[in-house]
């Protein structure tokens, strides 16, 4: 029998190893390609200019890359662990190390090529189906699905780089390994180098302490210490996972009735958690990222309408001068189907600064108009002013000047602050943030004698703002066309603001559509990555179970011979699988909730934001249900493997 025949026969006998290894690599290529179809999507690429979408892509994207690198490396190590003994056998039959190297490169090359072809094909099909399903679900339009050369190049390049490193490492180890060690490679058990209950307790203290300190300091530090304490939390999590069962055994020994009835289970679990610390840690972090980001971005998406309404008290708003945004009330009513129309004159005062290049500017408003706008009944003397900030109170500046001095016909006029009002009553527009409210007579005289210009603030409500998109677009086009026909005006003190921005139209419907698009894309990306993470974590856990199935089968056969019943074996397998599947799930879910609690301190706490809590329960509950289904699937396959003769 030739060597080629020997190799071919062994490949046919061990076809499950090759198939599973091929599927793992195909999954990795599919993950890379599906992420590329999102990351390099033309519409999403344009949205990366916004910091929120960039974070939504970059942070989970880095996590996906780390996970996939670990996934490919681990799948290759499992495959090679089974192959080393076969390579040792080939060498005893006369095959040289050079031949072994050729065989290793050839079979991995074929598997890599097949994985790339099938992975890209599956990625193209599933990404298209997922894209269509989710776009319809979130009612998001204007984001086309397309494929580009960049998607193919980055997917193949990323996979090839990681795969070649893994194969190169195995090739190097194979060339250095002796024949005897190669043949016995699958008989070596991984030794447990350290059992330290105190170290496990220390890890738990670091984990809890990091989260507690982050919670106490997050709001005051504006999140600047978030990376530091997150890394500390991950360190504590790793130590805790590595030594957690040792700590549990240490406590359990104090209760002999509890400990001795579960001796085998606890010992096996201790061994598995030390052996699988990196995997359990990685899966826990992936679950945490999945639930955390899905909850956060689902909340943002659902809040699109709420944010649009909060930022735009009126359905439509814009500034007007004699030459800019010139339109009559009758024309406005025809275009927008008006229900309410208010006009407020604003005097923009500017004064050339003496010692620096620039202008000091103030937006003055009459007290009568202020009372009409805010439903107040304030009173002011000639030398008093009221500071009005068009903002939410939590974002208001801490220090506001007690006096305002301006030059009127070469004389200095001083206003003393009587009070301040901070509330949102005007849409987000330039020159509509800070106002100096003064006596009506003083306002009239100021406009006639001081340096500045008047802006008429138009605030409009329509019958149905959600259906006003086409009308608002028509209004914007008409105003823009009229502005282009008039000479460009320089507005001292507003040089940094473009004329188009100063006279833009701010509307609820525009903000709503913009928020819905950005948040919808973020939600789409996060849901996309969440599903990929879930599939990846399940395959990773299943891969570990598959790699140890023969060892576990031999162990339980021996236990059966010394009196362990099939029912006891089944119960032990179920408990071990439950721990491996649900400990990372519970850890990841708990950490995601704690991080939501920490980040919610900036917006009044999670109890004051029930939407976040409800979306967390929805996301984590869905994940848990799917995880339970995958657990029963893995349990069924494991029991079939263990209990069959």
């Amino acid at each position: 029998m030739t060597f080629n025949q020997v190799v071919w026969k062994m490949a046919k006998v061990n076809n499950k190893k090759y198939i599973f290894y091929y599927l793992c690599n195909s999954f990795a290529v599919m993950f890379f390609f599906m992420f590329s179809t999102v990351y390099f999507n033309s519409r999403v690429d344009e949205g990366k200019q916004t910091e929120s979408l960039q974070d939504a892509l970059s942070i989970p994207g880095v996590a996906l890359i780390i996970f996939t690198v670990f996934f490919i490396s681990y799948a290759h190590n499992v495959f090679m662990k089974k192959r080393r003994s076969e390579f040792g056998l080939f060498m005893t039959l006369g095959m040289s190390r050079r031949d072994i190297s050729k065989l290793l490169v050839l079979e991995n090359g074929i598997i890599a090529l097949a994985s790339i072809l099938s992975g890209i094909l599956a990625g193209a099909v599933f990404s298209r189906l997922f894209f269509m399903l989710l776009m319809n679900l979130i009612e998001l339009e204007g984001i086309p699905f397309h494929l580009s050369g960049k998607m193919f190049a980055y997917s193949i390049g990323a996979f090839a780089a990681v795969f070649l490193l893994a194969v190169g490492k195995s090739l190097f180890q194979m060339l250095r390994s002796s024949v005897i060690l190669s043949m016995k490679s699958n008989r070596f058990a991984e030794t447990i180098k350290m059992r330290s209950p105190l170290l496990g307790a220390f890890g738990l203290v670091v984990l809890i302490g990091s989260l507690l300190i982050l919670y106490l300091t997050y709001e005051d530090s504006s999140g600047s210490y978030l990376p530091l304490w997150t890394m500390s939390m991950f360190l504590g999590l790793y130590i805790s996972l590595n030594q957690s069962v040792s700590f549990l055994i240490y406590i359990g020994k104090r209760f002999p009735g509890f400990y001795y009835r579960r001796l085998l289970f606890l010992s096996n679990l201790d061994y598995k958690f030390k052996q699988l610390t990196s995997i359990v840690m990685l899966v826990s972090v992936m679950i945490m990222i999945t639930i955390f980001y899905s909850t956060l971005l689902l909340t943002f998406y659902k809040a699109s309408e709420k944010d649009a309404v909060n930022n735009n008290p009126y359905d439509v708003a814009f500034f007007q001068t004699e030459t800019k945004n010139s339109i009559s009330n009758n024309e406005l009513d025809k275009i927008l189907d008006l229900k309410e129309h208010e006009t407020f004159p604003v005097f923009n005062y500017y004064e050339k600064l003496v010692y620096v290049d620039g202008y000091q500017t103030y937006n003055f408003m009459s007290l009568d108009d202020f009372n009409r706008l805010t439903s107040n009944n304030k009173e002011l003397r000639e030398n008093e002013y009221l500071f009005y900030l068009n903002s939410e109170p939590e974002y208001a500046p801490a220090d506001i000047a007690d006096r305002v001095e301006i030059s009127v016909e070469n004389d200095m006029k001083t206003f003393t602050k009587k009070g301040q009002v901070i509330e949102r009553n005007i849409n987000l527009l330039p020159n509509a943030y800070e106002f100096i409210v003064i006596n009506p007579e003083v306002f009239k005289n100021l406009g006639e004698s001081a340096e500045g210009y008047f802006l008429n603030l138009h605030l409009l409500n329509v019958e149905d703002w959600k259906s006003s998109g086409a009308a608002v677009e028509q209004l914007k086009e008409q105003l823009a066309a009229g502005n282009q026909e008039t000479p460009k005006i320089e507005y001292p003190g507003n040089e940094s603001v473009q004329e188009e921005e100063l006279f833009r139209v701010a509307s609820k419907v525009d903000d709503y559509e913009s928020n819905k698009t950005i948040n919808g894309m973020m939600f789409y990306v996060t849901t996309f990555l969440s599903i990929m993470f879930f599939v990846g974590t399940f395959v990773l856990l299943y891969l570990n179970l598959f790699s140890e199935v023969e060892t576990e089968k031999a162990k339980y056969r021996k236990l059966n011979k010394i009196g362990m019943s099939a029912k006891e074996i089944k119960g032990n397998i179920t408990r071990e699988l439950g721990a491996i599947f649900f400990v990372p799930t519970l850890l990841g879910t708990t950490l995601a909730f704690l991080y939501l609690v920490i980040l919610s301190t900036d917006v009044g706490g999670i109890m004051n934001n029930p939407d976040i809590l409800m979306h967390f329960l929805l996301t984590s509950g869905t994940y848990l249900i799917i995880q339970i289904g995958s657990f029963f699937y893995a349990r069924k396959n494991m029991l079939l493997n263990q209990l069959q003769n």
Side-chain angles (χ1 to χ4, degrees):
M1 185 180 293
T2 64
F3 279 118
N4 289 338
Q5 290 174 328
V6 172
V7 171
W8 178 245
K9 285 184 178 292
M10 294 192 72
K12 287 198 295 183
V13 171
N14 298 306
N15 62 84
K16 290 184 179 180
K17 299 176 187 176
Y18 287 92
I19 292 173
F20 200 81
Y21 181 49
Y22 153 73
L23 289 175
C24 288
N25 285 285
S26 186
F27 269 122
V29 177
M30 185 178 73
F31 290 167
F32 275 125
F33 188 75
M34 291 179 73
F35 181 70
S36 296
T37 61
V38 175
Y39 193 82
F40 296 113
N41 183 283
S42 58
R43 184 66 181 85
V44 175
D45 201 42
E46 292 173 6
K48 289 179 195 172
Q49 297 175 3
T50 64
E51 184 179 352
S52 55
L53 185 59
Q54 182 66 34
D55 289 343
L57 281 169
S58 59
I59 298 175
V62 170
L64 175 66
I65 291 171
I66 294 173
F67 173 80
T68 312
V69 168
F70 185 89
F71 181 78
I72 294 174
S73 302
Y74 188 77
H76 181 76
N77 289 337
V78 170
F79 177 71
M80 287 304 300
K81 184 177 179 181
K82 304 295 183 182
R83 295 288 286 144
R84 285 193 188 100
S85 60
E86 297 173 7
F87 291 153
L89 177 60
F90 291 156
M91 284 189 286
T92 60
L93 296 174
M95 187 177 284
S96 66
R97 294 183 185 274
R98 183 178 179 181
D99 292 330
I100 294 294
S101 300
K102 286 182 179 180
L103 177 61
L104 182 62
V105 171
L106 179 62
E107 66 181 15
N108 278 279
I110 293 173
I111 290 173
L113 183 60
S115 299
I116 289 172
L117 294 175
S118 60
I120 287 180
L121 179 61
V125 172
F126 284 111
S127 58
R128 173 62 174 168
L129 291 175
F130 184 78
F131 179 87
M132 293 172 60
L133 176 65
L134 200 57
M135 288 299 104
N136 290 330
L137 182 64
I138 62 179
E139 300 177 353
L140 195 60
E141 299 178 354
I143 303 181
F145 177 85
H146 65 93
L147 301 177
S148 66
K150 189 182 291 187
M151 298 174 185
F152 290 92
Y154 275 83
S155 302
I156 295 172
F159 169 75
V162 178
F163 189 80
L164 288 175
L165 284 174
V167 173
K169 178 185 174 183
S170 296
L171 191 60
F172 178 75
Q173 292 175 341
M174 193 65 213
L175 292 175
R176 293 187 59 190
S177 178
S178 67
V179 176
I180 301 300
L181 289 177
S182 296
M183 293 187 68
K184 293 183 176 180
S185 61
N186 61 345
R187 299 181 186 177
F188 289 117
E190 295 184 35
T191 57
I192 299 176
K193 297 180 180 180
M194 181 185 295
R195 280 193 176 97
S196 175
L198 291 179
L199 187 61
F202 170 75
L204 191 61
V205 170
V206 172
L207 172 64
I208 296 174
S210 300
L211 291 170
L212 183 60
I213 294 173
L214 182 59
Y215 175 76
L216 295 175
T217 61
Y218 180 79
E219 187 174 8
D220 293 336
S221 65
S222 300
S224 57
Y225 298 118
L226 180 63
L228 173 65
W229 293 115
T230 298
M231 292 301 296
S232 175
M233 183 273 293
F234 284 156
L235 176 63
L237 177 62
Y238 184 88
I239 296 172
S240 300
L241 286 171
N242 188 261
Q243 300 294 329
S244 58
V245 184
S246 295
F247 181 71
L248 183 61
I249 290 174
Y250 175 78
I251 299 298
K253 285 181 178 179
R254 299 173 179 269
F255 306 93
F258 169 85
Y259 174 69
Y260 288 109
R261 283 199 301 269
R262 297 167 179 82
L263 177 60
L264 178 62
F265 167 67
L266 292 173
S267 300
N268 285 344
L269 204 60
D270 191 27
Y271 174 79
K272 284 186 178 295
F273 265 68
K274 286 179 171 59
Q275 180 191 28
L276 304 176
T277 301
S278 298
I279 295 178
V280 175
M281 169 80 174
L282 184 64
V283 172
S284 300
V285 173
M286 291 300 102
I287 293 172
M288 169 191 165
I289 293 173
T290 298
I291 295 177
F292 175 76
Y293 269 90
S294 297
T295 301
L296 212 56
L297 297 181
L298 178 60
T299 303
F300 290 159
Y301 175 70
K302 291 293 186 181
S304 297
E305 180 176 341
K306 181 181 177 182
D307 290 342
V309 172
N310 289 342
N311 292 332
N312 298 277
Y314 284 82
D315 297 340
V316 182
F318 62 90
F319 280 114
Q320 181 188 55
T321 66
E322 292 182 359
T323 58
K324 299 297 179 182
N325 281 356
S326 180
I327 188 172
S328 67
N329 291 343
N330 289 335
E331 288 178 295
L332 280 173
D333 190 43
K334 288 179 182 178
I335 294 173
L336 292 174
D337 189 21
L338 292 178
K339 182 173 66 175
E340 181 183 1
H341 183 186
E342 299 285 352
T343 304
F344 299 90
V346 176
F347 182 69
N348 185 262
Y349 166 85
Y350 60 87
E351 179 182 352
K352 179 82 174 158
L353 296 173
V354 179
Y355 299 107
V356 295
D357 185 23
Y359 290 85
Q360 174 66 59
T361 65
Y362 293 106
N363 291 316
F364 285 93
M365 178 182 285
S366 167
L367 178 64
D368 289 344
D369 291 329
F370 169 79
N371 286 335
R372 183 160 56 96
L373 175 67
T374 61
S375 301
N376 276 298
N377 192 25
K378 304 285 186 181
E379 294 183 359
L380 291 172
R381 297 176 182 174
E382 288 189 3
N383 62 339
E384 294 178 333
Y385 87 92
L386 187 68
F387 181 79
Y388 169 50
L389 186 66
N390 180 43
S391 175
E392 287 76 21
E394 57 264 29
Y395 303 122
D399 299 323
I400 299 171
D402 291 328
R403 300 172 61 187
V404 171
E405 294 183 350
I406 62 173
S407 176
V408 180
E409 297 180 339
N410 297 323
D411 291 331
M412 296 302 297
K413 186 170 183 60
T414 302
F415 296 96
T416 304
K417 187 178 77 169
K418 183 179 181 181
Q420 64 185 40
V421 175
I422 303 172
E423 58 185 51
R424 173 82 69 194
N425 290 293
I426 305 172
N427 300 25
L428 294 176
L429 283 169
N431 287 338
Y433 181 61
E434 294 181 356
F435 294 90
I436 304 297
V437 181
I438 55 178
N439 182 279
E441 288 298 323
V442 177
F443 178 79
K444 180 180 178 182
N445 295 333
L446 188 67
E448 295 173 351
S449 56
E451 292 289 334
Y453 53 89
F454 275 101
L455 294 167
N456 285 325
L457 175 62
H458 288 266
L459 301 177
L460 308 96
N461 282 325
V462 298
E463 293 296 336
D464 182 9
W465 68 265
K466 283 190 178 181
S467 61
S468 64
V472 170
E473 193 62 32
Q474 181 183 347
L475 173 65
K476 288 160 64 177
E477 291 175 359
Q478 182 170 330
L479 294 179
N483 292 341
Q484 289 179 354
E485 296 176 358
T486 57
K488 189 173 182 179
I489 303 175
E490 297 294 334
Y491 297 95
N494 289 286
E495 295 87 350
S496 60
V497 182
Q498 297 292 328
E499 186 177 276
E500 293 79 6
E501 173 64 15
L502 183 62
F503 292 106
R504 71 179 178 86
V505 176
S507 65
K508 281 180 185 175
V509 67
D510 279 345
D511 269 15
Y512 173 64
E513 292 298 333
S514 176
N515 291 343
K516 186 179 177 183
T517 299
I518 295 297
N519 293 334
M521 287 195 304
M522 291 167 61
F523 179 58
Y524 165 71
V525 169
T526 305
T527 305
F528 189 92
L529 292 176
S530 298
I531 292 174
M532 292 172 67
F533 283 161
F534 175 80
V535 174
T537 52
F538 172 73
V539 174
L540 191 61
L541 290 173
Y542 197 80
L543 175 63
N544 174 263
L545 298 175
F546 172 82
S547 67
E548 299 293 330
V549 68
E550 295 299 329
T551 304
E552 291 292 303
K553 187 183 293 186
K555 178 183 72 176
Y556 283 113
R557 279 177 181 170
K558 293 175 182 178
L559 290 172
N560 182 253
K561 288 179 180 179
I562 62 173
M564 192 174 193
S565 66
K567 182 179 178 181
E568 290 172 324
I569 291 174
K570 187 182 294 187
N572 205 64
I573 291 173
T574 301
R575 286 192 294 270
E576 287 184 18
L577 278 178
I580 294 172
F581 266 83
F582 292 113
V583 166
T585 303
L586 294 176
L587 278 174
T589 303
T590 303
L591 290 174
F593 176 74
L594 293 175
Y595 266 75
L596 287 171
V597 170
I598 292 169
L599 267 63
S600 297
T601 56
D602 265 357
V603 290
I606 197 167
M607 298 309 296
N608 291 327
N609 294 273
D611 288 349
I612 298 178
L613 187 59
M614 290 302 297
H615 293 147
F616 166 77
L617 293 174
L618 175 64
T619 306
S620 58
T622 303
Y623 196 99
L624 182 60
I625 290 171
I626 299 174
Q627 187 77 329
I628 291 172
S630 62
F631 161 73
F632 280 110
Y633 173 79
R635 175 180 175 272
K636 177 183 176 182
N637 288 344
M638 181 60 78
L639 290 176
L640 286 175
N641 276 302
Q642 297 299 333
L643 298 178
Q644 65 183 3
N645 294 326

